[in-house]
């Protein structure tokens, strides 16, 4: 039986068993400092898994995004268009580069950036001779964006590079290919709460080997080839360590089963709450297969009997972690004044959306405990 007072976390790490063996190898070889054979192997194995030719392992997804924008030449005076409904780490590197952000609303079918609104925005900007330097597309909460439509609008019509933020969607597929594949750069995260984790870390992937080579160069303080430390460019200390990469190699081996468990968890919640008025689940877009990083519900208080915050607080009283969905970037204080096209959809998602515990080590008893609290909120 589940422990009644045991803390249920939102999406905690879940080790598969082989991670410790790889870490042991790193210790035995004394590759404790950054770089080493596990970093090389992790990059190679990751590239093979997502079918993207080249990858650079770095210390976070945010740093992977920063490198992508740096390599695309984003800088002061430029603008980057991005979805408003996303995590701040996927867009803050635009500010690191001294550029400005412009945001686009989501659509109801996927909760990702609306390609039609993106097309409207770019058409308007084209008439103003003010096209953005780049576009960021996010695969939110494990759901792949409609990338072909975005690429058709952005790349084919306006020749603007696209960076896919697939940090939350490793293991998701879009039209049979891995989430993000097709963009100039794809960003992944291995943060502690992601589908697989290295405790902290990220990956920058591309089919352009020269760009990934440059990313590695910049991620190691941009040290020029010389017997001493010679620098003609400013770089960063962004490389992943050999120890972290060793954990990643072990986690890669359980990715498929982690995604299947995430999807099973979502289905379990959905079946249990299917007949409860005022509860909706994040849809699965017809063009892809979501990884279901987090199971998310929308609560309509008039029909359910309690609002999102009331349910969240009830869960917390029972030592169960849940959280609201991402607060849209266009209403974040740090992005006050940024332009926004649309906004009603993502604002509604934030108002009603609640992320439920989705850890892959949860038992059916854990999930039943969560469902019981939600049902009690409805009965009251």
């Amino acid at each position: 039986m589940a422990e009644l007072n045991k803390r249920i976390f939102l999406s905690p790490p879940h080790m598969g068993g082989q991670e410790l063996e790889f870490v042991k190898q790193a210790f035995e070889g004394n590759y404790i400092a950054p770089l080493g054979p596990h970093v090389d192997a992790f990059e190679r194995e990751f590239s093979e898994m997502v079918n993207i030719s080249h990858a650079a392992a770095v210390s976070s997804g945010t740093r992977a995004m920063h490198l992508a924008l740096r390599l695309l030449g984003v800088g002061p005076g430029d603008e980057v268009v991005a979805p408003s409904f996303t995590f701040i780490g996927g867009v803050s590197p635009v500010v690191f580069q001294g550029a400005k952000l412009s945001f686009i609303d989501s659509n109801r079918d996927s909760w990702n950036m609306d390609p039609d609104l993106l097309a409207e925005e770019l058409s308007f900007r084209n008439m103003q001779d003010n096209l953005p330097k780049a576009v960021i597309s996010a695969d939110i909460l494990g759901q792949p964006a409609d990338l072909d439509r975005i690429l058709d609008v952005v790349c084919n019509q306006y020749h603007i590079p696209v960076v896919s933020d697939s940090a939350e969607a490793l293991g998701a597929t879009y039209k049979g290919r891995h989430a993000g594949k097709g963009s100039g750069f794809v960003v992944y995260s291995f943060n502690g709460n992601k589908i697989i984790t290295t405790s902290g870390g990220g990956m920058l992937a591309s089919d352009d080997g020269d760009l990934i080579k440059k990313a590695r160069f910049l991620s190691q303080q941009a040290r020029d080839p010389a017997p001493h430390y010679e620098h003609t460019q400013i770089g960063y200390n962004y490389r992943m360590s050999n120890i972290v990469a060793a954990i990643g190699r072990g986690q890669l081996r359980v990715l498929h089963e982690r995604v299947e468990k995430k999807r099973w968890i979502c289905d379990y919640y959905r079946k249990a709450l299917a007949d409860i008025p005022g509860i909706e689940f994040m849809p699965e877009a017809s063009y892809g297969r979501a990884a279901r990083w987090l199971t998310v519900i929308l609560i309509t208080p008039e029909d359910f009997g309690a609002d999102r915050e009331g349910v969240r607080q009830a869960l917390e009283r029972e030592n169960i972690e849940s959280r609201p969905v991402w607060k849209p970037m266009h209403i974040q204080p740090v992005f006050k004044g940024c332009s926004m096209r649309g906004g009603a959809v993502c604002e509604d998602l934030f108002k009603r959306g609640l992320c439920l515990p989705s850890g892959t080590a949860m038992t059916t008893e854990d999930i039943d405990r969560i469902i019981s609290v939600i049902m009690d909120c409805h009965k009251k």
Side-chain angles (χ1 to χ4, degrees):
M1 294 291 291
E3 298 175 48
L4 292 181
N5 293 321
K6 180 189 72 172
R7 178 69 166 170
I8 299 179
F9 292 98
L10 188 69
S11 184
H14 184 187
M15 295 294 100
Q18 288 188 267
E19 296 87 355
L20 193 58
E21 178 58 33
F22 286 122
V23 171
K24 183 180 177 183
Q25 290 174 17
F27 271 78
E28 289 173 346
N30 202 34
Y31 277 104
I32 307 302
L35 302 184
H38 285 299
V39 176
D40 297 337
F42 187 37
E43 291 175 340
R44 182 178 63 254
E45 292 165 0
F46 188 89
S47 290
E48 292 171 356
M49 185 196 68
V50 297
N51 194 29
I52 300 175
S53 304
H54 306 276
V58 292
S59 49
S60 73
T62 299
R63 286 164 177 168
M65 179 63 74
H66 188 198
L67 289 170
L69 295 172
R70 166 79 181 267
L71 290 168
L72 292 175
V74 173
D78 292 328
E79 281 197 69
V80 174
V81 172
S84 182
F85 189 55
T86 191
F87 174 58
I88 191 170
V91 295
S92 56
V94 173
V95 181
F96 301 168
Q97 287 299 103
K100 292 176 60 179
L101 279 156
S102 179
F103 296 113
I104 305 291
D105 201 359
S106 304
N107 62 22
R108 291 283 180 187
D109 294 338
S110 70
W111 297 12
N112 284 306
M113 183 167 60
D114 189 325
D116 293 330
L117 290 181
L118 176 62
E120 290 177 14
E121 178 70 11
L122 295 181
S123 176
F124 172 77
R125 287 173 170 273
N126 189 47
M127 290 188 291
Q128 303 293 316
D129 195 25
N130 184 32
L131 286 171
K133 187 76 171 183
V135 169
I136 295 171
S137 170
D139 301 319
I140 198 73
L141 298 166
Q143 172 109 274
D146 195 350
L147 187 57
D148 285 351
R149 290 187 63 200
I150 292 170
L151 292 174
D152 182 58
V153 168
V154 179
C155 294
N156 297 345
Q157 293 187 42
Y158 299 106
H159 308 291
I160 302 168
V162 175
V163 181
S164 281
D165 178 0
S166 298
E168 300 169 9
L170 183 60
T173 56
Y174 171 75
K175 296 183 179 180
R177 66 184 191 259
H178 286 272
K181 182 174 171 59
S183 297
F185 283 111
V186 192
V187 170
Y188 299 95
S189 172
F190 310 120
N191 190 34
N193 63 4
K194 293 300 189 292
I195 294 173
I196 64 169
T197 182
T198 58
S199 75
M203 192 77 75
L204 181 64
S206 176
D207 283 318
D208 189 325
D210 288 338
L211 288 176
I212 293 300
K213 183 178 179 180
K214 291 176 183 176
R216 289 197 187 100
F217 170 73
L218 290 172
S219 73
Q220 297 174 74
Q221 300 288 15
R223 180 185 177 183
D224 293 326
H228 57 277
Y229 280 81
E230 182 80 10
H231 304 276
T232 54
Q233 299 180 57
I234 295 294
Y236 317 99
N237 183 16
Y238 281 2
R239 274 302 249 160
M240 180 179 283
S241 79
N242 197 56
I243 294 290
V244 168
I247 298 171
R249 293 188 69 197
Q251 286 276 280
L252 272 184
R253 282 149 176 78
V254 294
L255 173 62
H256 176 73
E257 60 188 80
R258 293 292 182 264
V259 171
E260 293 308 306
K261 182 65 179 289
K262 291 277 190 183
R263 290 179 61 84
W264 178 87
I265 290 167
C266 182
D267 288 344
Y268 194 99
Y269 278 123
R270 188 186 294 274
K271 289 173 184 175
L273 299 171
D275 298 326
I276 306 301
I279 295 285
E280 304 168 57
F281 282 79
M282 182 181 186
E284 183 167 47
S286 60
Y287 51 67
R289 189 173 191 266
R292 298 296 191 192
W293 169 48
L294 296 176
T295 292
V296 185
I297 57 174
L298 297 179
I299 301 171
T300 303
E302 297 82 5
D303 299 325
F304 179 71
D307 62 12
R308 187 276 316 276
E309 190 60 13
V311 176
R312 188 193 69 79
Q313 290 176 355
L315 288 166
E316 188 58 44
R317 285 193 293 271
E318 297 299 324
N319 207 20
I320 298 167
E321 182 185 19
S322 63
R323 75 174 183 210
V325 299
W326 303 126
K327 181 177 181 179
M329 294 299 103
H330 75 279
I331 55 176
Q332 292 283 359
V334 292
F335 295 126
K336 184 179 181 181
C338 291
S339 69
M340 175 69 185
R341 184 168 289 271
V345 174
C346 62
E347 289 175 23
D348 176 60
L349 296 177
F350 174 60
K351 181 180 179 181
R352 296 193 292 136
L354 184 68
C355 301
L356 300 179
S358 305
T360 50
M362 284 198 305
T363 65
T364 54
E365 293 158 316
D366 292 329
I367 307 174
D368 286 339
R369 179 179 152 201
I370 297 159
I371 290 167
S372 177
V373 176
I374 296 172
M375 296 284 280
D376 285 345
C377 291
H378 170 58
K379 291 171 184 176
K380 292 175 182 177

